[in-house]
Amino acid sequence: MHRVEGKVAIVTGGASGIGRGCARRLAAEGAHVVVADRDEVGGQRVVDELGTPHRFLALDVTSEAGWKRVVAETVKQLGRLDILVNAAGIAIFKDIERTTLEDWRLINGVNSDGVFLGCKAVLVPMKAAGGGSIINLSSVAGLIGVADAPAYCASKGAVRLLTKSVALHAARSGYNIRCNSVHPSFIDTPMCDAVINGAPDPAKARKAFERAAPLGRMGQVDDVAHLVVYLASDESRFVTGAEIAVDGGLTAM
Ligand SMILES: NC(=O)c1ccc[n+]([C@@H]2O[C@H](COP(=O)([O-])OP(=O)(O)OC[C@H]3O[C@@H](n4cnc5c(N)ncnc54)[C@H](O)[C@@H]3O)[C@@H](O)[C@H]2O)c1
């Protein structure tokens, strides 16, 4: 219960799904958590569930000024910053012929620019804390192609290699800051529900999602959150620049 005791974490996208699960697990393991999300009602609800000393701070991850404010507020209110979980993200499922430039920019703005800005914003306070751990939510769609998701695949592929670049720079600079990417397959969250419910036959789509993984089911939020706690904790102190799939074996095929 004390795997990240006393560490301070920012979790973007913490109002829902995987981010919410990570915020809850990190708090259960002793971290002080800042839930950062553009959904103020949902984010505040999560923090009300978690109780003191956890905080909600409004953030649109595409705003560099927003990141500066949230990082400064975190350090002011909680004293330090050790962990960043970049879980905020959006998905649009359309093939290349139907994807507009506007779709492309929207997806890449949140999923790629947002993670870039986050990694950049936390280095100074993590250095001041003597080190840290950055965990970026990519996807299996950052490892393999998905015909109906060109913009999403591109954004998640960008997160995969951005992560390695940040990891190498931090290691070379002696910052004691690690950076890793996590690659889930279908996880049962509101994002996945939206995709399933948008399909012509939602029941069939859910079955297909369940069968996609050799383990024969969709993932649960805690399947990802347990890995994130490991990467956030000192147990993973020799792990950096890694890409770790949480996909029930999907990318082993
Ligand atoms: N659910 C899956 O099957 C799955 C699979 C692989 C990867 N992922 C990735 O995991 C992450 C979390 O996904 P989820 O399924 O929990 O989604 P979700 O829709 O349940 O939650 C996403 C959260 O991100 C927030 N958000 C979106 N845009 C934002 C912005 N500009 N600024 C701040 N917050 C913003 C939303 O308000 C929401 O709280 C995403 O990066 C997603 O791409 C999800």
Side-chain angles (χ1 to χ4, degrees):
M1 298 293 285
H2 305 286
R3 294 167 70 199
V4 285
E5 189 68 37
K7 292 184 189 285
V8 173
I10 294 175
V11 181
T12 74
S16 174
I18 293 171
R20 175 170 175 260
C22 292
R24 290 163 62 115
R25 278 277 117 226
L26 287 165
E29 294 290 348
H32 299 178
V33 178
V34 171
V35 169
D37 204 293
R38 67 178 176 187
D39 174 1
E40 300 192 18
V41 174
Q44 191 55 56
R45 193 181 306 128
V46 172
V47 166
D48 290 345
E49 285 164 17
L50 295 178
T52 317
H54 313 291
R55 306 270 203 286
F56 171 72
L57 293 174
L59 173 67
D60 179 339
V61 294
T62 65
S63 161
E64 189 163 25
W67 270 107
K68 285 189 177 141
R69 181 181 45 75
V70 163
V71 168
E73 271 303 307
T74 300
V75 174
K76 189 171 156 205
Q77 294 184 25
L78 296 173
R80 55 190 289 130
L81 179 59
D82 307 278
I83 300 162
L84 170 64
V85 182
N86 276 310
I90 55 172
I92 296 176
F93 282 82
K94 292 179 184 176
D95 63 40
I96 183 71
E97 297 183 75
R98 293 181 299 135
T99 298
T100 63
L101 182 58
E102 199 179 28
D103 295 331
W104 173 271
R105 287 186 174 146
L106 180 66
I107 294 270
N108 281 283
V110 176
N111 296 2
S112 177
D113 298 0
V115 175
F116 161 73
L117 290 172
C119 291
K120 212 171 150 56
V122 298
L123 292 181
V124 168
M126 283 187 179
K127 278 191 269 179
S133 176
I134 302 171
I135 299 128
N136 294 330
L137 263 297
S138 177
S139 166
V140 290
L143 299 171
I144 56 174
V146 178
D148 283 324
Y152 188 75
C153 283
S155 71
K156 294 301 184 179
V159 168
R160 172 176 169 259
L161 283 177
L162 165 70
T163 298
K164 294 182 195 301
S165 177
V166 172
L168 292 175
H169 170 70
R172 176 183 64 187
S173 308
Y175 291 164
N176 193 30
I177 296 171
R178 298 177 295 104
C179 186
N180 294 288
S181 60
V182 170
H183 300 256
S185 58
F186 302 113
I187 308 296
D188 208 351
T189 68
M191 178 188 279
C192 235
D193 280 347
V195 177
I196 288 169
N197 294 331
D201 182 343
K204 198 172 153 198
R206 183 168 282 277
K207 276 267 167 278
F209 278 20
E210 287 166 359
R211 288 201 195 107
L215 287 182
R217 65 169 175 88
M218 285 174 66
Q220 298 301 313
V221 159
D222 265 353
D223 296 330
V224 182
H226 285 297
L227 173 61
V228 167
V229 169
Y230 164 71
L231 290 172
S233 77
D234 295 339
E235 294 160 17
S236 59
R237 62 187 180 268
F238 200 51
V239 181
T240 196
E243 52 189 69
I244 306 181
V246 194
D247 66 352
L250 190 149
T251 51
M253 293 191 290

